[in-house]
Amino acid sequence: MTATSTPLAAPSARRARRVATVRALLRRPSFVIGTAVLCFWVLCALVGQAIVPDDPYATDPANALASPSGAHWFGTDALGRDVFSRVVVGSRAILTISLLAAGLATLLGTTIGLVMGYFGGLVDEALSRVAEAVMALPSVILALLALTALGPSNLTLVVVVGFAYSWVIARTVRAAVLTERGAEYVAAARVRGERSPYIMFGEILPNVVPVVIVEFTVRVGMAVFSVASLSFLGFGVQPPSPDWGLQIADSYGVLSAGAWWTALFPALAIASLVVSVFLIADNVQGALSE
Amino acid sequence: MVREDLRMARMRSRHSELENHLIDELLAARLDRRTFVRRATVLGMSMPAVATILSACGDDGPAAGTGAAPAAGSGVRGGLLRAGAITPGRAVDPLKLGDTGSVTLLSQTGEYLALSYGEPELRPMLAESWEPNDDATVWTFKIRQGVRFNDGTPMTTRDVAETFNRLADPRNGTNALEVFDGFLSPGGTRAVDETTVVFELDQPNGSWPWLVSSDNSSAVILPAGYSGDWEKSFIGTGPWRLEAYTPKVRAAFVRNDDYWGEPTLADRLEYTLFEDEVAMVLALQAGDVDLIGYFSVGAGRALLGDRGRFTVNAIRSAAHSNWTLRTDRRPLDDPRVRRALALTLDRDELVRELLQGYADLGNDSPFAPVFPMTNTDVPQRAQDIEQAKALLSQAGLPDGFELEVTVWNTGVNAAYAQLAQNAARAAGIRLRLTMQDTATFLGTGDFGSSPQLDVISGIGDWGSRGIPNAYLAAQLSPSGVRNAAHWRNDEYARLLRTYVAESDLQAQRRTAGRIQELLLEETPVIYAFFPNYLTAAATSVQGIVPTAMGHMLLAQASRA
């Protein structure tokens, strides 16, 4: 019984392992940098509206395309709005949508992955084919198709991006579940007469959590990229929202007139957010596999 | 002076009642010189006659070269001309023209009875002259002789008559029905002899020559047996002949040696087709093309600010973003609410900043300042937030209201909508914006399955026309095919009938004034500005003749 009880019966050991993992992470400089950048953007998302110098929505056409200065640190856009304020406040939409989309994808993907891996057989076969069909298309194309059909809104964006990524997560979780399925603690649970949902979520899930955490962080980074791309293409967050992808799309026409600041700062914002999330994901993966 | 009077008297005896009325208007100083020339050309008066009348009135007469198609250029002969245009959204078919890119390509090989060019003025093209009967129900056109299609076959009056009977046939669903409906029936155009074509109209129309000119971009003269597939041959009588066409990529043309007019200066013309304006503007900046067709202020700021390298040609136009308000839906069913919304807009700022001054002010009617029949005595609507708030209070909405506005994301519309959203907030009106691409916004084009016609409020986009008739009929009349405001007003319908039948400019202006006042009162559609039609070329290129409809006449264009 010792083998079967290990995963469940040793919470203190798990806590100790968790503390060790966090310590290992904090010793990695790239993790610290990534976390700092992400925390900065999360802070912007939470209190940005209150601290920015200008109303990010207030148009001032007479002052359009002003270059960066003391009055407007990042200059103004084609409608005279303060780019700095828009970049800071713009973090809220993209972070919220990306986190929700990644969260939804993780929830859906983990559930599907557990079902596929635990039941195997026909269920696994059928769901695997669906996953292949969904993953055959690049996620942005898939999202574009759905957004065209459903019409763009933030909720649709979360659902569509979440759905597209859930199958990728499902495949990874399934692989992890397959190795756990044969473990003795699962057999023991069956012998105890536990029901399948309990075995999946109560017994197997805690043992594949590291995989789920890594998947979630990676997907947050990818979701940021997808949401920004969709907004750039006009299918994501809608004007006049200070969304970063949208800001770059709006700046497209004025770039040739030399107004580089309207595109550069939101582009740097996207890049810094994506890189910070991937730095965190890489380090979490590394620390968990140590 | 006595000699002038005698000449004038002789002239008068040769002109119809309508034409003599026009001369009276000029003598009474109710028409300026430019408007007189414009109206005279519509009525088919020849340029020598116009010059005689003007000189009898103490004017030096119209400038040289206004008589025929644009004057022959003195540019450099030979070589290749490289142009850029937005790629047509679908197959180019003269009967169903979808967009500016299609009109641009069509205008290389296709020609009209008359050319509507520059400050609205009508110039003979495939027709040499035209005249109405006394009540403007029958219009007789003299057709140019010796014209050949670019496949070598001669153009006859039968081809001309067939072209218009085809366009007027509702079964063909052509764009031309927008203005022919109710005026020209299939069979209403007849070839009388080898030089004469007669339009017998269902009701009087004093502006008929406009409606069969390049203003009606579908009205290019095609062979009698035309059966579609225009893209295969680019059949027409124009100065160029198609060499090769790859849809969405390029169209190459060579000089049409059979052309009736001045031969092209360049030996070849190559059009590169672009998916979007910015790419097209960048190609001009990079020197990949010598000239480009329509670009918006938003995409072309770099060109507007670099006059040393590029020539920008701005044509005043009647193109507009029509902001429709459903008059059958709460709270917009109350005219006070619609007026309040219109009063929040700072139109001067929109023209000055959004359009960089390249636009005319709109006064919530399709009577653009560029039209001579527009009544300029009607007061201009200006921003007035206090009045807007007062109107909302009277309408029982002291706290304002929320309105979803669906925006066709093209040209300046997205920026316009965001500025309007900001402006409306001052009066407590909260606009929620939904951007839609072209295909989504237009839908099938029918009521019930087209957001542009169904949404409670939408911002659309209309191209320019030489006269406002198409806008007045399609957008605002009770039976209008694009009446997105769902506005049904009997007085308007009556005034519109009167207006269209009138051929006298003063009468048209009077009726226009009443229509403009009614539209200000009712405001089913907000017309805030009329952007100029902008084209650009490298400064080394000369002789380009663009129209506000999208035509690019390049026969006399050349590179120095």
Side-chain angles (χ1 to χ4, degrees), chain A residues 90-200:
Chain A
S91 58
R92 176 179 288 187
I94 199 160
L95 266 177
T96 315
I97 294 173
S98 307
L99 282 172
L100 285 176
L104 177 70
T106 310
L107 202 73
L108 273 177
T110 308
T111 310
I112 299 168
L114 280 169
V115 169
M116 285 162 82
Y118 179 74
F119 290 108
L122 257 183
V123 176
D124 185 27
E125 280 292 318
L127 288 172
S128 291
R129 296 297 86 76
V130 176
E132 278 160 18
V134 174
M135 285 159 61
L137 288 171
S139 56
V140 170
I141 303 285
L142 190 72
L144 269 182
L145 284 174
L147 285 166
T148 311
L150 300 170
S153 80
N154 290 356
L155 179 67
T156 339
L157 208 54
V158 169
V159 173
V160 163
V161 175
F163 176 80
Y165 285 138
S166 62
W167 295 93
V168 189
I169 297 175
R171 291 279 292 241
T172 317
V173 172
R174 169 187 173 271
V177 173
L178 282 181
T179 57
E180 295 294 322
R181 192 173 64 171
E184 286 183 23
Y185 72 91
V186 176
R190 282 208 188 103
V191 170
R192 284 205 310 272
E194 302 287 3
R195 299 163 65 92
S196 299
Y198 175 78
I199 302 175
M200 281 191 286

